[in-house]
Amino acid sequence: MPTRVSSYSKINLGLAIGALRADGFHQLVTVYQTLALSDAVTVTARRAVKTAITIRSKDARIPTDGRNTAWKMVEFALVKAGFAAVVEVEIEKNLPVQGGLGAGSGNAAAALVGLERELGLNLAGPSRLEIAAEVGSDVPLFLVGGTVLGLGRGEAVYPLPDLPEMACVVAVPEVGVSTPQAFLDWDRLGVQEKLTPEASHARLSKLSRAIAAGFSGVSAVGGDLAGNPLLELVRTGIENDFEKVVFPLHPRLREIKHILEVGAVYAALSGSGSALFGLYADDQSAEQAAVRVRAAGVKAFVTRTISRAELVDD
Ligand code: C5P
């Protein structure tokens, strides 16, 4: 019987980019937060003598061959498990394809969950994270879910205490941002601004300290956190480094951020974009922000953050 799995999205609550590593990836510190906004992935699988993978989607932008993240995940998982199987994966897209919301990465994680259920596979936690990291830097986070610290190239994930549930507006401008290009632009900016390796490292340390302070509930300036570490993170000054290279190229995105910021606890670009998000203390503020974004001619979704327990139990 086919197994249908919700394939969630993520935003980045702060993202600091560090040095370019010898393997071509950049050192990162980020906090991921999973959102209820989702695609659906349906997996049908049976053991066979030889592996055959089929990917289907009504969305023509989705590659249906080995370039597809769900394909890669299924292939890696079967190799790891030492099984051959005939596997069909159907991807129902609601999320933007190249948006900074980790949609393709979420699809891969959901495909793994579906495959495991279909075949009764029981891969060990570290093996699951390992193959997820091989598929992409922001795939492992979806196997953890909720509020997640991302280190290394973003693939080294650590569960943080879940933030209290918050309303979220995701704005999806019709602008494509290439992640590898955004990283290259960051390197170029670093050269221009003569960012030394020490200064680069200090940026990562600063965000790490803000995260540690936020989640330990210890406020550097005192005051009531009202139980939400995000307030402390915002107070300490989280930011997404990609904004420094993406906003100058696409000034419209900065304007949309400003629209989202009205009434928000925090608003920012997600990943390298072009999706932007605002987090709100109540549904009404979120609804009003979505109306303003749409009035500016940009697609907006009203959603909410999703906790680790909700994501894993789904
Ligand atoms: O891991 P993922 O497939 O998402 O990475 C896509 C590309 O983004 C990489 O090939 C690399 O160019 C860039 N990247 C990076 N540093 C990271 C993550 C991604 O430079 N931490």
Side-chain angles (χ1 to χ4, degrees), residues 17 20-21 24-28 72 105 133-138 152-154 179-181 183-184:
I17 310 171
L20 175 63
R21 310 188 319 191
F25 288 90
H26 291 73
Q27 195 69 24
L28 286 189
K72 288 184 196 164
S105 300
E134 266 182 73
V135 176
S137 303
D138 55 6
R153 61 180 163 92
T179 301
Q181 186 57 48
F183 275 113
L184 287 176

Side-chain angles (χ1 to χ4, degrees), residues 257-286:
K257 172 174 164 170
H258 291 324
I259 296 173
L260 285 164
E261 266 174 341
V262 179
V265 178
Y266 180 58
L269 187 71
S270 185
S272 62
S274 63
L276 300 118
F277 67 89
L279 288 164
Y280 304 84
D282 57 82
D283 292 349
Q284 203 194 351
S285 304

Side-chain angles (χ1 to χ4, degrees), residues 10-15 30-33 100 138 240 266 268-272 277:
K10 63 84 182 164
I11 49 176
N12 299 80
L13 307 173
L15 190 160
T30 189
V31 177
Y32 300 109
Q33 172 64 52
D138 55 6
N240 178 349
Y266 180 58
L269 187 71
S270 185
S272 62
F277 67 89

Side-chain angles (χ1 to χ4, degrees), residues 76-303:
F76 295 166
L78 289 174
V79 168
K80 194 73 148 186
F83 289 163
V86 172
V87 184
E88 287 179 23
V89 182
E90 165 93 36
I91 303 174
E92 286 168 56
K93 278 316 258 189
N94 304 308
L95 298 165
V97 174
Q98 228 207 2
L101 299 173
S105 300
N107 292 167
L112 175 65
V113 172
L115 184 76
E116 287 173 321
R117 289 192 196 151
E118 280 285 288
L119 295 179
L121 281 183
N122 203 357
L123 289 175
S127 297
R128 298 173 91 229
L129 290 171
E130 205 177 288
I131 53 176
E134 266 182 73
V135 176
S137 303
D138 55 6
V139 181
L141 82 99
F142 288 104
L143 298 178
V144 177
T147 311
V148 183
L149 175 65
L151 301 178
R153 61 180 163 92
E155 96 293 3
V157 286
Y158 303 89
L160 288 166
D162 271 324
L163 292 176
E165 185 181 307
M166 267 182 287
C168 182
V169 175
V170 174
V172 187
E174 290 193 1
V175 171
V177 177
S178 150
T179 301
Q181 186 57 48
F183 275 113
L184 287 176
D185 293 343
W186 174 261
D187 292 338
R188 204 167 300 141
L189 186 72
V191 171
Q192 268 169 27
E193 298 195 345
K194 299 191 174 60
L195 192 69
T196 62
E198 293 73 28
S200 171
H201 184 73
R203 302 183 58 74
L204 299 191
S205 302
K206 185 169 161 249
L207 182 57
S208 301
R209 277 199 303 277
I211 294 166
F215 285 89
S216 69
V218 179
S219 167
V221 288
D224 181 14
L225 299 183
N228 192 339
L230 181 62
L231 299 182
E232 178 59 15
L233 278 175
V234 171
R235 188 152 45 203
T236 321
I238 44 168
E239 49 192 347
N240 178 349
D241 278 344
F242 278 122
E243 290 184 355
K244 294 185 194 69
V245 286
V246 173
F247 284 176
L249 274 179
H250 306 285
R252 181 90 178 108
L253 300 185
R254 194 197 310 269
E255 288 168 24
I256 300 165
K257 172 174 164 170
H258 291 324
I259 296 173
L260 285 164
E261 266 174 341
V262 179
V265 178
Y266 180 58
L269 187 71
S270 185
S272 62
S274 63
L276 300 118
F277 67 89
L279 288 164
Y280 304 84
D282 57 82
D283 292 349
Q284 203 194 351
S285 304
E287 292 292 348
Q288 286 168 352
V291 167
R292 288 195 309 272
V293 172
R294 289 175 195 136
V298 175
K299 201 166 168 183
F301 299 93
V302 180
T303 182

